[in-house]
Amino acid sequence: MHLSFVPLTPDNRLSAKEIVGNKKKLSWWRDKFWEHMVVKYSDLERGESASQTGRDHIPPRIFKEMTRLTKQRQKLDQLLAGIGPLNSKKRAAEISELLDSYIPAVEKMRTQLKKYSTAFTSTKAENEKLKKKSKKLSESLDEATHESVLKQLKDAKLQREYQEALEILERIPPEVLEEYAKPKAAHHTAEL
């Protein structure tokens, strides 16, 4: 169960800041709510907060950025697949233009994934610990494992797409890289 509430002030204004306050106050609210509910529902369990477990949450923007990077990689893959003797100059220019945004984006993603690498490894370790729990917890374990597997699948997809992004860069022919490495002014002069 997930609880949500609407923080209305006595004069019926919507104000989370006035009702809830800061993060510390929000934790206090959660503690008090759980204490109240566990009196009536003794089987009620409370999840562990990220502040206690040390787990990192991977924000949705990282997955969105990887989706954008994947689309760029697919476009680059199409351009590389269609390279031939008759269109190599044109394709080299198109690839060079795409690489201007793709290479920095891959580098940025590497930096971001390094930050969350502990989240990837801790998820795997958590799954191992969950598997070793007693039979008494098997029903709650099944639910936790399901959520954890979904997270693992998302994490694995993110890692795989990043590896594909790097692999596409390795497939670029040397002459295309040479064309890309030329100063931009030389590109424009060569095209004229």
Side-chain angles (χ1 to χ4, degrees), residues 2-179:
H2 184 86
L3 173 70
S4 296
F5 68 95
V6 179
L8 293 175
T9 62
D11 59 345
N12 289 328
R13 287 181 301 109
L14 182 65
S15 177
K17 188 173 183 174
E18 285 183 38
I19 301 296
V20 176
N22 56 21
K23 284 185 180 184
K24 188 175 180 180
K25 187 73 170 175
L26 178 60
S27 292
W28 178 85
W29 276 81
R30 289 177 180 161
D31 292 341
K32 291 299 176 192
F33 177 75
W34 183 78
E35 288 170 10
H36 174 77
M37 294 299 289
V38 81
V39 170
K40 186 169 182 175
Y41 305 101
S42 58
D43 291 345
L44 188 66
E45 291 182 22
R46 181 165 183 199
E48 297 174 334
S49 73
S51 64
Q52 291 173 329
T53 63
R55 284 178 287 197
D56 284 330
H57 169 72
I58 301 172
R61 67 178 165 73
I62 301 291
F63 291 97
K64 289 177 183 176
E65 178 63 24
M66 185 52 83
T67 300
R68 192 179 69 72
L69 197 58
T70 299
K71 287 178 183 175
Q72 284 183 320
R73 181 190 52 79
Q74 290 168 343
K75 175 70 174 168
L76 190 56
D77 201 21
Q78 287 174 345
L79 290 171
L80 288 169
I83 250 180
L86 300 175
N87 68 355
S88 63
K89 288 249 188 216
K90 182 182 176 197
R91 288 292 168 112
E94 289 178 59
I95 290 169
S96 176
E97 186 178 325
L98 185 56
L99 288 177
D100 284 339
S101 61
Y102 186 72
I103 290 174
V106 170
E107 194 57 38
K108 181 179 176 187
M109 183 56 68
R110 178 176 26 184
T111 303
Q112 290 173 332
L113 289 180
K114 278 183 185 177
K115 178 181 177 187
Y116 297 108
S117 66
T118 55
F120 295 131
T121 54
S122 67
T123 298
K124 189 173 182 178
E126 280 178 36
N127 286 338
E128 292 303 315
K129 287 179 185 177
L130 286 173
K131 288 177 185 176
K132 293 176 183 177
K133 289 222 178 203
S134 71
K135 232 179 188 178
K136 178 183 174 191
L137 298 175
S138 66
E139 189 173 327
S140 63
L141 177 62
D142 289 344
E143 185 179 332
T145 302
H146 175 72
E147 291 173 10
S148 187
V149 166
L150 291 177
K151 183 180 180 333
Q152 249 189 337
L153 287 172
K154 285 181 181 178
D155 294 349
K157 182 177 186 274
L158 189 65
Q159 288 285 15
R160 186 184 71 246
E161 288 174 347
Y162 173 69
Q163 285 304 318
E164 289 172 356
L166 291 176
E167 289 169 7
I168 194 92
L169 290 175
E170 292 172 6
R171 290 184 37 219
I172 298 171
E175 58 272 7
V176 172
L177 288 176
E178 287 174 16
E179 181 69 24

